């Protein structure tokens, strides 16, 4: 079947997205095949390191329980910088607005952006606004880019996982994806699940006090924890074993997942970080997380078991064992 | 940590595993159990249940994934309708990526067809009411679980006088193919894990002929891991004790009689018909066609389209997989030419398909 056109699955964050990046986008734009891919690029100039990243936000619905597209756009870029260990400094904002969009809602979105920036300690330093005719965009799209600096020399990236590393997460999984999905047109489930959308830079800065012990930081957004850990396993060429029973998961999230036939391991998060760290530091990191407001439900969910393989497997809640692969195509509600 | 409850309790599951092991301890011949329903297949893979069973107990997957058993010809029809002007195709998500002979709904959508994912038939009906100038077609794929919701939408449309809502019907019923498969000596099915939701509608008594006339033990089983393990334990016990009965493990939802209201709706809106199953062929009396009285809602009767000659994807063993004769990993295309990104067969598309489940959850050291 021809794939001469772009499909929605190419933007899902799963395997199709990777293929498009590897085969077309990165080779064309950079002229070199894709090497390591991290949340932000780490660049050097005149002997000092800085981090640079960009991300576009097209969430539907624009307002969802626990937040809106504005806060999401600021927090997402702040988090991408934090995931390479950088301290976020400034961000830019590009707004693409559909003709007819409510001014009141725009004000609300901008206020959320401002509040999120204040909380994260970044300034919004540049911006651009475009309005397109009705029907040429879906309400509002936002792009944010960000620059961060380093006040340490640690190398934190997805190729840095080592055998023996413990894997931690700072709280419950799947909250954002389910909060958004439950409000989609036609579904309108009555739940009290809120998005976990939050800036993680402050929490990360505290964790970085453990220094060299921290090997990988990554936020499991699109594609969820499963896709993110599989990426890390491949990038670092290690094998990972997870313990499903250790995963923090809200009962309501599990309920909606069961109803829609979704696996919470593949559902998006917006205020979560996966930390791969040396085993001797794991308990201390867990304590640090639990002391932080964004880490109260933190847990150790698995470990890097071996060098090589690029595999992820999970011991299931009932004691069985299965493999974990990347999200394929769109994760859609099942048929019955 | 709310991941645990009694239906996922490790100790309960371990206890059931130990009981199954004891029951089969001095038995060398295999016990082959078929889980008919795709949701069971998913659950078995997702919780790694095969690893908890003794080697004598074999679980094979059956034809209970609605998307998987839908033949290529149906998808070709869907594609033909999607290309019609002023037409909105409404469907549950799984159908989007199932390959037809030369296209998929996802490709058609990317090329400009109006394809909407809905979560219920009533959403599709509401869409029709909001778009009186368009033909809204719902893809009626599924078993006795979804058929009553289609019936309800047709009854509602009739009572509200909606004239632009249509169904492309390909509903199937479960018990008849089960009888066909149980008669296949190559499969040697010793017992059925009967579907949970379907049985809530049709009632456990719908399988009595299988137990009584064909001598196949049946246990209506829920989807949680402890349900599945208990269902397996009950089936193994029947086999060991040489009984063949219909038992209900999933008694919190399923009764002997089923749901009379839903059954009455099915009887009113549909008539029993022959149906084509992917890989199996036409099974007499295994489908549901829209009854004459509601013919106005049958898009095929109202607006016939020209459809390409269906061609099955080359090399795909979906049919054998659906009959439980071949494990997904035995297909030479599995994980190579056929992946969830570029599926060759329907079994690799649906979240309940055996090939998709094996691909997503199969790789264990
Ligand atoms: S692996 Fe693909 S080609 Fe092989 S049987 Fe399954 S769906 Fe068909």
């Amino acid at each position: 079947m021809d794939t001469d056109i772009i499909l929605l699955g190419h933007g899902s964050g799963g395997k199709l997205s990777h293929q498009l990046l590897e085969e077309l986008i990165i080779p064309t734009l950079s002229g070199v095949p894709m090497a390591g891919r991290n949340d932000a690029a780490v660049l050097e100039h005149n002997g000092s390191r800085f981090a640079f990243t960009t991300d576009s936000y097209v969430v539907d619905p624009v307002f969802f329980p626990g937040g809106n597209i504005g806060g999401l756009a600021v927090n997402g870029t702040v988090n991408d910088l934090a995931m390479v260990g950088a301290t976020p400094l400034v961000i830019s904002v590009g707004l693409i607005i559909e003709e007819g969009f409510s001014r009141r809602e725009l004000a609300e979105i901008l206020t959320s952006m401002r509040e999120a920036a204040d909380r994260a300690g970044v300034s919004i330093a540049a911006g651009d606004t475009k309005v397109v005719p009705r029907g040429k965009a879906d309400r509002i799209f936002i792009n944010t880019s960000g620059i961060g600096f380093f006040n340490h020399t640690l190398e934190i990236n997805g190729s840095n996982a080592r055998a023996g590393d413990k894997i931690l997460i700072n709280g419950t999984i799947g909250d954002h994806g389910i909060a958004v999905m439950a409000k989609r047109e036609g579904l309108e489930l009555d739940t009290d699940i809120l998005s976990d959308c939050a800036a993680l830079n402050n929490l990360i800065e505290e964790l970085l006090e453990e220094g060299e012990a921290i090997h990988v930081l990554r936020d499991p957004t699109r594609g969820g924890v499963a896709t993110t850990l599989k990426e890390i396993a491949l990038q670092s060429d290690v094998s990972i074993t997870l313990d499903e029973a250790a995963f923090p998961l809200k009962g309501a999230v599990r309920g909606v997942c069961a109803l829609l036939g979704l696996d919470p391991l593949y559902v998006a998060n917006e205020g979560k970080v996966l930390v791969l760290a040396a085993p001797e530091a794991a308990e201390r990191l867990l304590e640090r997380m639990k002391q932080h407001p964004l880490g109260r439900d933190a847990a150790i969910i698995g470990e890097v078991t071996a060098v090589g393989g690029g595999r992820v497997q999970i011991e299931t809640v009932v004691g069985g064992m299965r493999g974990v692969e990347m999200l394929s195509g769109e994760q859609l509600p099942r048929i019955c | 940590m709310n991941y645990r409850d009694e239906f996922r309790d490790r100790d309960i599951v371990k206890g059931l595993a130990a009981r199954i092991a004891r029951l089969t301890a001095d038995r060398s011949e295999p016990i082959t159990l078929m889980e008919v329903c795709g949701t069971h297949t998913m659950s078995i893979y997702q919780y790694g249940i095969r690893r908890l069973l003794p080697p004598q107990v074999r679980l094979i997957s059956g034809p209970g994934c609605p998307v998987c058993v839908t033949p290529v010809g149906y998808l070709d029809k869907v594609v033909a309708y999607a290309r019609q002007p002023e037409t909105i195709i409404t469907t549950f998500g799984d159908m989007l990526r199932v390959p037809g002979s030369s296209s998929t709904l996802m490709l058609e959508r990317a090329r400009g067809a109006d394809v909407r994912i809905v979560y219920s038939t009533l959403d599709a009906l509401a869409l029709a009411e909001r778009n009186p100038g368009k033909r809204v077609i719902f893809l009626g794929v599924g078993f006795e679980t979804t058929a009553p919701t289609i019936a309800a939408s047709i009854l509602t449309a009739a009572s509200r006088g909606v004239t632009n809502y249509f169904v492309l019907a390909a509903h199937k019923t479960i018990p008849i193919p089960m009888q066909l498969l149980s008669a296949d000596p190559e499969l040697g099915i010793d017992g059925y894990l009967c579907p949970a939701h379907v049985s809530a509608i049709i009632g456990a008594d719908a399988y009595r002929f299988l137990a009584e006339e064909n001598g196949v033990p049946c246990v209506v089983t829920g989807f949680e891991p402890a349900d599945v393990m208990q269902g397996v334990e009950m089936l193994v016990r029947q086999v060991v004790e040489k009984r063949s009965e219909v038992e209900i493990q999933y008694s919190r939802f399923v009764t002997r009689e089923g749901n009379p209201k839903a059954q009455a709706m099915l009887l009113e809106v549909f008539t029993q018909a022959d149906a084509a199953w992917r890989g199996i062929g036409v099974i007499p009396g295994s489908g549901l066609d829209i009854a004459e009285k509601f013919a106005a809602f049958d898009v095929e009767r109202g607006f016939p389209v020209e459809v390409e000659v269906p061609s099955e994807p080359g090399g795909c063993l979906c049919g054998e997989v659906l009959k439980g004769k071949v494990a997904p990993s035995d297909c030479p295309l599995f994980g190579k030419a056929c992946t969830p990104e570029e599926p060759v067969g329907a079994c690799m598309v649906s979240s309940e398909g055996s090939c998709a489940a094996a691909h997503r959850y199969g790789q264990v050291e």
Side-chain angles (χ1 to χ4, degrees), chain A residues 142-299:
Chain A
I142 302 180
N143 172 275
T144 50
S145 298
I147 296 175
F149 65 91
F150 290 86
N151 50 19
H152 56 74
T153 55
L154 300 171
E155 292 273 350
I156 292 168
N157 62 59
S159 1
N160 218 2
R162 299 172 206 172
D165 278 1
K166 295 283 182 199
I167 304 170
L168 294 88
I169 190 161
N170 62 316
T172 53
I173 62 167
D175 298 8
H176 175 75
I178 295 299
V180 170
M181 228 178 285
K183 289 296 161 215
R184 286 258 161 96
E185 191 189 1
L187 199 54
E188 282 131 19
L189 291 172
D190 196 16
T191 72
D192 51 6
I193 303 163
L194 298 181
S195 165
D196 57 350
C197 180
L200 294 162
N201 56 325
N202 183 290
L203 169 69
I204 302 289
E205 241 153 75
E206 282 185 30
L207 300 181
L208 284 177
E209 285 171 23
E210 292 291 336
E212 301 271 329
I214 300 210
H215 299 154
V216 183
L217 299 168
R218 180 88 39 108
D219 53 343
T221 52
R222 284 179 316 173
V225 170
T227 305
T228 306
L229 286 172
K230 180 74 185 182
E231 279 168 10
I232 295 171
L234 289 171
Q235 220 177 321
S236 299
D237 194 27
V238 293
S239 288
I240 287 173
T241 299
L242 303 171
D243 176 6
E244 193 174 23
F247 273 80
L249 178 66
K250 292 196 174 101
V253 171
R254 202 191 79 198
V256 175
C257 282
L259 192 72
L260 299 177
L262 305 176
D263 183 339
L265 277 179
Y266 292 87
V267 178
N269 308 277
E270 286 295 344
K272 292 297 163 346
V273 56
L274 290 162
V275 181
L276 279 73
E280 55 282 3
E283 285 300 329
R284 282 197 308 276
L285 280 165
L286 184 65
E287 265 324 297
R288 281 184 192 269
M289 277 188 179
K290 287 187 165 172
Q291 298 303 322
H292 194 280
L294 293 177
R296 276 192 219 105
D297 298 322

Side-chain angles (χ1 to χ4, degrees), chain B residues 315-318 321 328 331 333-334 338 344-348 355:
Chain B
C316 173
L317 301 181
C318 260
V321 170
C331 171
L333 304 186
F334 179 81
C338 182
V344 175
C347 308
M348 190 56 99
C355 296

Side-chain angles (χ1 to χ4, degrees), chain B residues 228-284:
Chain B
V228 174
M229 287 298 284
Q230 192 178 25
V232 170
E233 194 262 350
M234 290 164 79
L235 280 174
V236 167
R237 196 175 285 276
Q238 285 201 41
V239 173
V240 171
E241 293 172 1
K242 300 199 166 41
R243 286 182 291 125
S244 73
E245 296 163 21
V246 178
E247 294 178 308
I248 306 177
Q249 180 278 331
Y250 197 46
S251 53
R252 43 190 206 282
F253 278 107
V254 176
T255 60
R256 295 256 158 213
E257 302 75 35
N259 180 337
K261 238 175 99 186
Q263 291 168 11
M265 259 198 301
L266 288 182
L267 273 179
E268 184 178 359
V269 175
F270 293 108
T271 49
Q272 203 179 18
D274 301 347
W277 296 62
R278 185 188 295 256
I280 301 177
V282 174
I283 305 177

Side-chain angles (χ1 to χ4, degrees), chain A residues 64-115:
Chain A
F64 47 82
N68 65 50
I69 190 171
L72 192 67
V74 170
N75 290 333
T77 288
V78 164
N79 290 347
D80 281 348
L81 294 170
M83 293 307 140
V84 294
T87 303
L89 188 62
V90 288
I91 61 172
S92 70
V93 172
L95 302 171
I96 298 172
I97 308 169
E98 184 188 339
E99 174 190 25
F101 189 67
S102 141
R103 200 184 163 106
R104 185 187 54 74
E105 289 187 331
L106 179 61
E108 206 177 314
I109 289 168
L110 295 172
T111 306
S112 303
M113 298 187 88
R114 180 59 210 259
E115 286 169 2

